[in-house]
Amino acid sequence: MYGTTSSGSGEGTAEHPGTVPTGLVGFLSLERLELDLFRGWCHDGAPLRAFGGQVAAQALTAAGHTVARERPVHSLHGYFLRPGDTRRPVVYSVERLRDGRSYTARRVTAVQDGEVIFTLSASFKLPDDEPDRYLVMPDVPRPDDLPDAYRYWAENNPDEYREAAYAQVMSMRVVPPSTAGKAAGGGRGQNEQYVWFRAVETLPDDPLLHVCALAYCSDLSLAPTSALDREALYPLREGPSRLAMASLDHAMWFHRPFRADDWLLFAQRSPSAGDGRGFNLGDFWTRDGTLVASVVQEAVLRRRAPGRPSSAAGEPV
């Protein structure tokens, strides 16, 4: 399996890593301390605060490293409890809840400085040969016909772009609302957006890696969907955000195999926002129209107080 090293690998101390991992594979890689204990480092989502998608993806990586390869993950449910500090490592402890004939269950607790920052439950299963059915992919422009949103960000706000590690490892193409056509049919009061994603680098042929990469990617644009009636998505926005957003919880279901280094359409919608919370749902399709994953998330959504970061993974205040 990709991305684990032993605790004696010379990667540095817990406070001062020798080399902080880079690249998407590096962002998802962990150091194995014991059989069910792992350590990882996170990059910023907001200044000095860990990106929630990376925390969730690393927790899923830890769980996956305790499960046989022939049992792929089919779902995860996570809660962000405290912001992660990118100056310190995150320790992931895996509990083996069940190893059944078909299904396997794991619980992961992510800890920093003795405090739990994130919890994850994940379920894995043996494949079944049963009839297949799924929703048809929305009819939207293809990624090759759309501009690179992160390149636009780099040209118009280079300082913000340089600080966004995720923008260096993922490609993003945003479908303009005017070209979404009949795909955008959720009704009055619902925010919608369609975004194509793929990893910049070609990834190894490890299904767990591609699933964890999608978990990472799924947190890049989902929470902002609930704020689209108030401001544009961050790479296209003029000026700083006026809002504070932070992931509260995150759930995913993986329906069919896919590659995260091929283009995936992320169709997102937000039917509700209020009480300082935004509710968001999304589906991922491959370019050929196969539905491969679904996600649901609730996030803090508030007017930003002066001097506070515009977004932070896992800061339910």
Side-chain angles (χ1 to χ4, degrees), residues 205-229:
D205 295 329
D206 185 335
L208 177 62
L209 172 61
H210 289 266
V211 167
C212 293
L214 192 66
Y216 175 95
C217 159
S218 69
D219 200 32
L220 289 175
S221 61
L222 190 55
T225 306
S226 59
L228 289 176
D229 55 320

Side-chain angles (χ1 to χ4, degrees), residues 155-172:
E155 293 171 352
N156 289 273
N157 199 332
D159 291 338
E160 270 193 9
Y161 170 79
R162 278 193 298 268
E163 294 176 359
Y166 49 83
Q168 322 304 320
V169 300
M170 299 299 301
S171 292
M172 174 194 279

Side-chain angles (χ1 to χ4, degrees), residues 89-163:
V90 181
V91 174
Y92 300 92
S93 176
V94 181
E95 295 178 70
R96 303 184 183 226
L97 300 181
R98 182 174 186 267
D99 290 292
R101 286 182 296 179
S102 298
Y103 286 83
T104 293
R106 296 289 185 263
R107 182 164 55 214
V108 183
T109 304
V111 177
Q112 267 192 334
D113 295 332
E115 292 189 322
V116 177
I117 66 169
F118 178 74
T119 63
L120 175 129
S121 296
S123 183
F124 304 74
K125 71 178 295 290
L126 289 172
D128 281 321
D129 185 15
E130 294 292 337
D132 211 26
R133 173 189 57 81
Y134 52 83
L135 183 67
V136 174
M137 183 175 74
D139 183 13
V140 299
R142 298 293 172 165
D144 298 337
D145 300 326
L146 298 170
D148 187 326
Y150 285 151
R151 183 176 301 169
Y152 178 88
W153 196 19
E155 293 171 352
N156 289 273
N157 199 332
D159 291 338
E160 270 193 9
Y161 170 79
R162 278 193 298 268
E163 294 176 359

Side-chain angles (χ1 to χ4, degrees), residues 21-301:
T22 59
L24 184 55
V25 174
F27 290 167
L28 305 179
S29 295
L30 299 174
E31 178 186 6
R32 195 166 207 153
L33 304 176
E34 296 179 16
L35 181 63
D36 295 333
L37 197 65
F38 303 83
R39 182 166 65 196
W41 292 85
C42 293
H43 62 69
D44 291 353
L48 299 180
R49 293 180 179 179
F51 170 52
Q54 187 181 16
V55 176
Q58 287 189 351
L60 183 58
T61 297
H65 283 322
T66 71
V67 178
R69 289 176 63 93
E70 59 267 20
R71 296 193 177 208
V73 62
H74 72 88
S75 70
L76 68 83
H77 297 74
Y79 280 92
F80 296 94
L81 304 176
R82 294 178 178 86
D85 186 341
T86 54
R87 295 169 297 185
R88 294 178 172 82
V90 181
V91 174
Y92 300 92
S93 176
V94 181
E95 295 178 70
R96 303 184 183 226
L97 300 181
R98 182 174 186 267
D99 290 292
R101 286 182 296 179
S102 298
Y103 286 83
T104 293
R106 296 289 185 263
R107 182 164 55 214
V108 183
T109 304
V111 177
Q112 267 192 334
D113 295 332
E115 292 189 322
V116 177
I117 66 169
F118 178 74
T119 63
L120 175 129
S121 296
S123 183
F124 304 74
K125 71 178 295 290
L126 289 172
D128 281 321
D129 185 15
E130 294 292 337
D132 211 26
R133 173 189 57 81
Y134 52 83
L135 183 67
V136 174
M137 183 175 74
D139 183 13
V140 299
R142 298 293 172 165
D144 298 337
D145 300 326
L146 298 170
D148 187 326
Y150 285 151
R151 183 176 301 169
Y152 178 88
W153 196 19
E155 293 171 352
N156 289 273
N157 199 332
D159 291 338
E160 270 193 9
Y161 170 79
R162 278 193 298 268
E163 294 176 359
Y166 49 83
Q168 322 304 320
V169 300
M170 299 299 301
S171 292
M172 174 194 279
R173 305 285 191 274
V174 179
V175 176
S178 60
T179 64
K182 295 181 180 179
R188 290 167 53 184
Q190 175 163 278
N191 291 349
E192 298 180 356
Q193 66 173 340
Y194 300 86
V195 179
W196 291 93
F197 281 110
R198 74 172 177 188
V200 170
E201 60 186 303
T202 300
L203 302 176
D205 295 329
D206 185 335
L208 177 62
L209 172 61
H210 289 266
V211 167
C212 293
L214 192 66
Y216 175 95
C217 159
S218 69
D219 200 32
L220 289 175
S221 61
L222 190 55
T225 306
S226 59
L228 289 176
D229 55 320
R230 301 167 72 175
E231 63 181 30
L233 188 64
Y234 59 92
L236 311 178
R237 187 179 60 232
E238 300 294 335
S241 175
R242 302 183 302 276
L243 303 172
M245 282 178 273
S247 305
L248 286 168
D249 56 12
H250 199 87
M252 297 189 73
W253 293 264
F254 304 99
H255 309 307
R256 294 165 187 87
F258 60 89
R259 292 191 63 91
D261 51 8
D262 286 340
W263 285 112
L264 295 166
L265 176 65
F266 193 14
Q268 300 153 86
R269 59 196 184 279
S270 175
S272 176
D275 189 38
R277 296 172 292 124
F279 179 66
N280 309 281
L281 308 94
D283 297 296
F284 283 95
W285 279 269
T286 61
R287 202 200 298 231
D288 67 4
T290 302
L291 179 65
V292 296
S294 299
V295 58
V296 176
Q297 182 191 76
E298 190 171 51
V300 170
L301 179 61

